[in-house]
Amino acid sequence: MESPLRLEFPDGKSSEFPAGTLVRETLADVATAVAGDPVLGLRVGADVYDLGTALTHGGRAVPITPASPDALEILRHSASHLMAQAVTDLFPGVEVGVGPATESGFYYDFKKDEPFTPEDLEKIEARMRELVRADFPIVRKVVPRQEALAVFEKRGQKLKVELISDKGGESVSCYEQRDFVDFCLGPHLPSTGHIKAIKLLSVAACYWKGDERNVSMQRIYGTAFYDEKSLQEHLTLLEEAKKRDHRRLGPQLDLFSIEDQNVGAGLILWHPKGARVRMIAEDFLKGELLKNGYEPVYTPHIARLNLWKTSGHTEFFRENMFAPIDMDEMQYQLKPMNCPFHVTIYKSRLHSYRDLPIRLCEFGTVYRYERSGVLHGLLRVRGFTQDDAHIFCRPDDLDAEIQRLVDFTFFMLKSFGFEAFEIYLSTRPEKFIGTIENWDRATAALRKALETRQLDYTVEEGGGAFYGPKIDVKIKDVINRAWQCTTIQVDFNLPERFNISYMGEDGNHHTPIMIHRALLGSIERFMGVLIEHYGGAFPIWLAPVQAIVLPITDRAVAYAQTVKETLQSENLRVTVDSRNEKIGYKIREAQNQKIPYMLVVGDREAEKGVVSVRNRFSGDLGARSLPDFIAEIKKHIADKSPRP
């Protein structure tokens, strides 16, 4: 007989239950820990259970209510099923694919010959509200695999049959609500009536399993909340996000473009203005890297496949690598990572303990095969540049190096105007390489660095890679969205695979500890976040054009050119709009291009040797002499002011 499972609740009480007890059968005990709010499920350790799921282990048990961190994901997962139920009610014969919750909502993929229309979305949403009012129970059932295959085969749901066929095990879990059934692991709400506020947002084309070689699908996006007020606040946020969408602002501001037909999906063409912003950002970081003891390196875009076999990428990362290239009777590989090259550089000569730490850095372009269905502007691409660095250090250097990295990280991110962060510490997973002693030392160093700097962080137990623990930093933009940015990762894998060492004080060879770190991460992704954070209106130090001179008449064009040349001699980025247009039109155009300063010049300004200054935030600032204006703009640049 199996031992009973013990649940320990937040109020200090604990109870024992037989293994396999459904969560709903523990509600009498759960109720002692929750006052007033409905219990939707239970978090036991790292696992989240809905009320219809059988407990598999005991531990600290936290009841899930609508206010819990886990509650929105459960709600949105259930809302995706609700949408699939509404679609199959309204459009018989449609095949359903997969429908997960996302960070901000949910989606479901459907195979349907005719495209969904905006009117269809209205009908689907109305049907979803009817199903909410009906408050159908959402019932979890664990059934034999063959029985599940027969159920979905009978319903004509071939995609579900494929998913179940791909899954191992003798039984599968399904969820039913009225006559709708879905193959799913859960968790879900107790009934459809718990879904209080829903909104369908859009429909987009996609491919089954994200692979363009598979059947074409339609993906309907939506979002859901437990109350209408939260939904309306979110919809307002979405409207603001649309205005800031880098995919719209990039072409509008002539920063970059993506040309699928001849260049290829997921490959970015940087235009002069966008390239200038990127260059300024990279040059700033490169200068700081040199100040912090990094040594720059350059590595090829391609290498023999053997390198990636040694590093383990062909074993663990193959699906994200492009196909090998046959050349000179050998196979070569477009690089998906920079790290094996940096290890090879380290290994090219013998190192003493006195040489360490060695900090190698590179703005290295890598290539990864991303499915076309997940490509997303600058945020998800197939070719991107990482501000990569790898640090080789002795064990006794580890604490100091991690703390240096944490300080460097927040200096850089704050320099670009980010002030709010989410920080995660990911620890040893079940499957790992290296000794527990090294894992504990590395994890302690990461933890110590965060706590020494009094930084709040979340521990992701078991979330580290198989080769080491890590710190992840997400930056929060001006509308409070979190974006993955910095990674600081300790690696026990590559030093062992490449058999690298240094000569210790004892005259013996020792294996160095290797730290991977990317501060900005993917430069393309970071640029996309920057564009959306600032809505395309970059701070003066980053702006591709810092000032534009606007002559009122043709007579003032010569003076405008003189002003431009004077400012350019001070290393300012300036253009002239010499078109034969009215000054109001020129000002509006400069505003639309989000240029920080507009310098209006006419006969009076030319006579006095001044400029009439406007900035795009405060409007007319009056006349300035050129020396005064230069001093003002240079102060904003030096201070990295968010706006002039």
Side-chain angles (χ1 to χ4, degrees):
M1 184 176 178
E2 290 188 61
S3 301
L5 306 177
R6 176 175 290 275
L7 298 183
E8 300 167 358
F9 297 106
D11 62 357
K13 296 180 180 179
S14 63
S15 299
E16 288 188 348
F17 301 93
T21 299
L22 297 182
V23 169
R24 67 165 53 91
E25 295 170 9
T26 72
L27 283 184
D29 297 77
V30 171
T32 65
V34 181
D37 290 331
V39 177
L40 308 173
L42 200 64
R43 172 177 279 278
V44 183
D47 295 326
V48 175
Y49 297 90
D50 59 30
L51 300 186
T53 302
L55 292 169
T56 58
H57 63 87
R60 177 172 172 76
V62 180
I64 298 171
T65 70
S68 302
D70 296 308
L72 267 182
E73 183 174 354
I74 297 174
L75 168 71
R76 289 166 175 170
H77 195 172
S78 299
S80 75
H81 279 219
L82 183 75
M83 179 171 69
Q85 182 180 5
V87 168
T88 54
D89 282 354
L90 294 171
F91 304 95
V94 167
E95 288 190 54
V96 296
V98 294
T102 65
E103 187 174 351
S104 59
F106 60 88
Y107 68 79
Y108 216 115
D109 294 344
F110 301 97
K111 182 183 175 186
K112 180 175 176 287
D113 293 336
E114 297 297 324
F116 288 109
T117 65
E119 292 75 21
D120 289 337
L121 295 193
E122 292 176 8
K123 293 175 184 177
I124 295 167
E125 187 177 310
R127 179 58 179 153
M128 291 172 69
R129 297 184 190 282
E130 291 175 1
L131 296 171
V132 168
R133 290 192 293 271
D135 195 19
F136 294 114
I138 301 175
V139 181
R140 185 176 192 267
K141 293 185 177 181
V142 177
V143 299
R145 186 163 170 267
Q146 290 303 317
E147 181 181 323
L149 287 169
V151 167
F152 288 101
E153 187 74 51
K154 183 177 180 180
R155 290 169 174 259
Q157 295 295 337
K158 297 178 182 177
L159 300 178
K160 291 295 179 182
V161 170
E162 181 180 332
L163 289 176
I164 296 172
S165 299
D166 290 343
K167 183 185 181 300
E170 296 181 357
S171 61
V172 298
S173 61
C174 296
Y175 283 80
E176 292 182 358
Q177 49 203 57
R178 204 191 61 172
D179 57 352
F180 177 77
V181 60
D182 206 348
F183 162 58
C184 182
L185 294 174
H188 285 286
L189 296 171
S191 70
T192 60
H194 285 79
I195 304 173
K196 302 297 184 183
I198 49 176
K199 181 66 179 176
L200 299 189
L201 302 171
S202 62
V203 61
C206 63
Y207 294 99
W208 176 234
K209 296 182 177 179
D211 189 337
E212 61 269 25
R213 295 168 296 186
N214 289 338
V215 66
S216 179
M217 307 279 285
Q218 296 182 68
R219 177 171 294 175
I220 299 179
Y221 290 93
T223 193
F225 289 85
Y226 284 100
D227 62 89
E228 193 66 31
K229 180 175 180 290
S230 297
L231 173 62
Q232 293 307 317
E233 289 175 349
H234 180 73
L235 294 178
T236 300
L237 185 69
L238 289 181
E239 286 302 312
E240 181 61 29
K242 284 182 183 178
K243 298 175 187 175
R244 296 171 175 271
D245 192 329
H246 73 282
R247 294 169 298 176
R248 180 180 67 85
L249 290 174
Q252 175 186 316
L253 300 177
D254 198 22
L255 301 173
F256 70 90
S257 62
I258 302 172
E259 204 279 332
D260 289 1
Q261 185 172 355
N262 295 307
V263 177
L267 302 172
I268 308 302
L269 297 173
W270 290 99
H271 296 202
K273 287 183 179 179
R276 186 174 293 174
V277 179
R278 174 174 168 166
M279 182 180 70
I280 295 163
E282 289 183 358
D283 285 350
F284 170 60
L285 177 51
K286 287 174 182 176
E288 296 300 324
L289 287 168
L290 293 177
K291 291 179 188 177
N292 279 269
Y294 287 82
E295 296 293 339
V297 298
Y298 292 94
T299 63
H301 292 238
I302 191 171
R304 289 183 60 182
L305 188 61
N306 285 346
L307 180 70
W308 312 105
K309 289 179 179 178
T310 302
S311 68
H313 286 95
T314 55
E315 181 180 356
F316 296 103
F317 204 69
R318 194 64 180 110
E319 65 181 16
N320 295 108
M321 296 164 64
F322 281 94
I325 302 166
D326 291 324
M327 186 166 54
D328 296 334
E329 298 182 355
M330 299 176 186
Q331 286 192 310
Y332 284 76
Q333 178 70 51
L334 278 172
K335 66 174 176 178
M337 302 279 191
N338 298 303
C339 36
F341 288 109
H342 292 192
V343 179
T344 305
I345 291 173
Y346 175 91
K347 195 176 180 180
S348 64
R349 68 180 183 86
L350 181 65
H351 296 282
S352 160
Y353 71 95
R354 298 178 188 276
D355 300 329
L356 275 56
I358 292 173
R359 309 180 186 98
L360 303 181
C361 65
E362 177 183 16
F363 283 74
T365 301
V366 298
Y367 304 89
R368 297 182 187 170
Y369 178 62
E370 300 283 3
R371 303 295 187 186
S372 61
V374 301
L375 297 175
H376 185 85
L378 296 175
L379 304 181
R380 196 75 175 265
V381 295
R382 288 174 171 164
F384 59 94
T385 301
Q386 292 179 305
D387 66 314
D388 234 343
H390 296 91
I391 300 168
F392 303 88
C393 66
R394 306 187 308 264
D396 56 310
D397 285 330
L398 188 61
D399 279 7
E401 284 304 307
I402 296 294
Q403 292 191 39
R404 283 172 60 99
L405 284 173
V406 169
D407 291 344
F408 195 12
T409 292
F410 290 102
F411 166 74
M412 288 303 306
L413 298 181
K414 289 179 179 181
S415 295
F416 284 98
F418 296 101
E419 296 293 338
F421 311 95
E422 293 178 358
I423 306 170
Y424 299 87
L425 172 62
S426 298
T427 61
R428 186 177 72 244
E430 289 186 12
K431 295 182 179 180
F432 64 93
I433 69 165
T435 66
I436 290 180
E437 179 186 8
N438 278 341
W439 272 87
D440 289 346
R441 179 189 293 122
T443 304
L446 296 172
R447 190 188 303 272
K448 181 179 179 181
L450 296 175
E451 292 180 351
T452 299
R453 300 305 185 261
Q454 299 182 323
L455 296 167
D456 293 330
Y457 64 93
T458 299
V459 176
E460 290 196 340
E461 296 289 354
F466 73 95
Y467 50 80
K470 63 177 178 173
I471 292 172
D472 286 318
V473 179
K474 292 184 177 181
I475 50 179
K476 301 192 81 172
D477 67 14
V478 71
I479 55 176
N480 210 37
R481 296 173 300 178
W483 305 91
Q484 174 60 46
C485 191
T486 304
T487 296
I488 300 170
Q489 191 158 17
V490 181
D491 186 355
F492 305 118
N493 177 49
L494 290 185
E496 291 183 5
R497 282 181 173 270
F498 282 88
N499 192 29
I500 61 174
S501 65
Y502 65 91
M503 190 68 70
E505 289 182 86
D506 58 4
N508 295 321
H509 289 278
H510 298 269
T511 303
I513 292 178
M514 181 177 178
I515 306 171
H516 302 247
R517 84 96 189 98
L519 298 183
L520 307 185
S522 158
I523 299 297
E524 281 73 9
R525 180 180 175 82
F526 188 75
M527 286 289 294
V529 174
L530 268 185
I531 293 168
E532 298 203 4
H533 180 62
Y534 289 110
F538 295 106
I540 188 73
W541 74 281
L542 278 173
V545 178
Q546 295 169 320
I548 184 168
V549 189
L550 306 177
I552 297 174
T553 64
D554 288 345
R555 294 190 303 276
V557 169
Y559 178 60
Q561 291 293 341
T562 299
V563 170
K564 172 188 171 183
E565 290 167 7
T566 301
L567 297 180
Q568 285 182 331
S569 70
E570 296 289 336
N571 293 320
L572 299 175
R573 301 184 289 278
V574 188
T575 63
V576 173
D577 185 349
S578 58
R579 294 176 297 170
N580 186 20
E581 300 284 357
K582 293 183 178 180
I583 191 63
Y585 176 82
K586 292 182 180 182
I587 290 173
R588 285 194 300 275
E589 285 283 288
Q591 285 280 142
N592 290 336
Q593 287 298 303
K594 304 183 187 296
I595 298 173
Y597 282 103
M598 288 148 269
L599 309 179
V600 180
V601 296
D603 293 341
R604 182 178 57 184
E605 286 79 13
E607 181 180 342
K608 295 183 177 180
V610 299
V611 290
S612 292
V613 181
R614 295 179 60 90
N615 80 39
R616 67 175 309 274
F617 295 103
S618 305
D620 193 353
L621 301 180
R624 298 275 200 283
S625 68
L626 284 181
D628 285 350
F629 174 71
I630 290 169
E632 177 182 325
I633 193 172
K634 282 193 169 183
K635 183 178 187 307
H636 285 307
I637 294 169
D639 294 343
K640 292 186 169 56
S641 305
R643 60 173 59 187

